Amino acid sequence: MFKSLVGGIVAATAFVMLSSSALAEPEIVAGPSAEPECFAPWAVDTQFFKFPKKEGPYRVALANGYIANTWRIQMVQTAKAYAAQPDVAAKLKEFKVVSTGEDVPAQISAINNFIDSGYDAIVVNAQNPTAFGPVIKRAKQAGVVLVAFDNILDTKDAINVNVDQKGLGELWANWLIKHIPNGGKILEVRGVAGTSVDTDRHNGIHETLDASGKKWEVTEVVGKWDDGVAQKATADAIATNGPFDGVTGQGGDTGIVQAMIDAKHPFVPFGGETENGFRKFCAKFAAEGLKCSSAGTGPAQVAVAIKTAIAALEGQVVPQAVKLPLAIVEDPNFKEGEDYFPDQSDNFFVGNSFPTCGINFTAQEIMGQSKENQ
């Protein structure tokens, strides 16, 4: 009889746990999303999630990986600035930030720790798009809302927030094709190896160049989206493989141009990101041949990811994949005080706002925050 009673308790407990897990999973529902202008679906066939509503305030964590470049530092600062806004802070019981570097297992371990600690939602900038399968499953079973942004996850069991990274590579390649009509030698400065952003942008560049029907000789170097690393990689490439007819850089573009200046390399067409310093150079040296397409996405997409996580916790309808707009400025349309800011740091990423989501930050709000774990 005792064994029977114990068996019944275990079975009942297992049933409750399974039932709780099932109830925690999102329901697939019809769109549109709660805020259609902000939470825009990635494609016409994108599914919409409706999670069971939780009562706030919430415990939300940011599990970042790589931190050693300007974009990631500004991203962490932006996340903290967004969480500190009064209307957002009122919905948060706790906001935690951890950066784990390029170590994929360390980032996965951090997410597992947040799940074990009972956090309601985790936003992640993933070091690898395919390595997170088990932790994605754990989050889903635990009823934790998992939102990936920028470097996203290859899954439909988490929410992804991003811009069209491959489309960004295509845009840069088309800029080079337009300004180098007969083909030529291109320097491609890549980002952090293994990330979805680096892979998608690289594929967009090469597929577009290949489809142009022109002859291209591309020298690839790794700049890790960092000015110092990209500057050295560019200097070495110029010394060994230069000169180049055009350049495309995923980030660290201020350093790339500085390397060209130091090497007395002629200014050439350049498809690059949205750093303030890069745009200053583009405006200053346009007449000397530095014809730029400056496009990308500001670090404020982390704020959209946090906003999406909170909306999901509140039981609002959100897309499984949210598509954000690119910030694009191209020669000759660089306007001082609007597209670049002479008095601000070179390292500040311009276009760091998403007005359709009500997200807009001043440089002072962001730079007042630290990059440190909290």
Side-chain angles (χ1 to χ4, degrees), residues 25-218:
E25 294 182 10
E27 180 185 0
I28 306 299
V29 299
S33 58
E35 297 184 39
E37 290 187 350
C38 178
F39 305 136
W42 188 267
V44 293
D45 60 349
T46 297
Q47 294 180 328
F48 288 83
F49 285 168
K50 182 176 175 62
F51 285 80
K53 182 179 180 180
K54 283 189 177 182
E55 294 301 321
Y58 307 112
R59 298 175 71 206
V60 177
L62 166 60
N64 179 48
Y66 188 70
I67 188 64
N69 65 28
T70 302
W71 196 99
R72 291 296 182 100
I73 293 170
Q74 187 175 328
M75 179 272 290
V76 169
Q77 292 173 314
T78 302
K80 292 179 178 179
Y82 182 69
Q85 293 187 339
D87 58 332
V88 179
K91 297 181 179 183
L92 297 176
K93 182 179 181 180
E94 181 182 0
F95 182 66
K96 186 82 169 177
V97 177
V98 170
S99 295
T100 54
E102 295 184 69
D103 188 339
V104 174
Q107 189 177 31
I108 292 172
S109 178
I111 298 171
N112 273 317
N113 288 337
F114 286 133
I115 295 171
D116 292 338
S117 299
Y119 278 77
D120 300 298
I122 303 167
V123 294
V124 57
N125 195 328
Q127 282 301 116
N128 183 289
T130 60
F132 289 73
V135 77
I136 293 168
K137 183 178 180 181
R138 284 201 70 217
K140 184 177 180 179
Q141 291 174 338
V144 177
V145 174
L146 186 61
V147 181
F149 69 98
D150 188 38
N151 288 288
I152 55 174
L153 296 169
D154 186 13
T155 181
K156 291 191 176 180
D157 286 329
I159 300 170
N160 285 320
V161 174
N162 206 0
V163 299
D164 185 355
Q165 302 287 0
K166 185 175 182 181
L168 183 54
E170 293 168 352
L171 182 147
W172 291 333
N174 280 319
W175 182 258
L176 296 179
I177 292 166
K178 176 182 177 181
H179 288 84
I180 313 171
N182 297 319
K185 292 177 63 177
I186 303 298
L187 174 63
E188 178 192 3
V189 184
R190 299 188 61 169
V192 175
T195 59
S196 65
V197 168
D198 175 72
T199 300
D200 290 347
R201 292 179 176 184
H202 170 77
N203 289 342
I205 291 166
H206 281 262
E207 288 177 16
T208 304
L209 291 178
D210 292 345
S212 71
K214 305 181 187 308
K215 185 177 180 180
W216 304 97
E217 181 184 336
V218 181

Side-chain angles (χ1 to χ4, degrees), residues 244-245 257 260-261 265-269 281 285 288-291:
F244 299 100
D245 301 305
V257 178
M260 294 169 68
I261 294 171
H265 188 287
F267 289 118
V268 294
F281 278 144
F285 296 117
E288 298 177 41
L290 189 63
K291 303 295 185 183

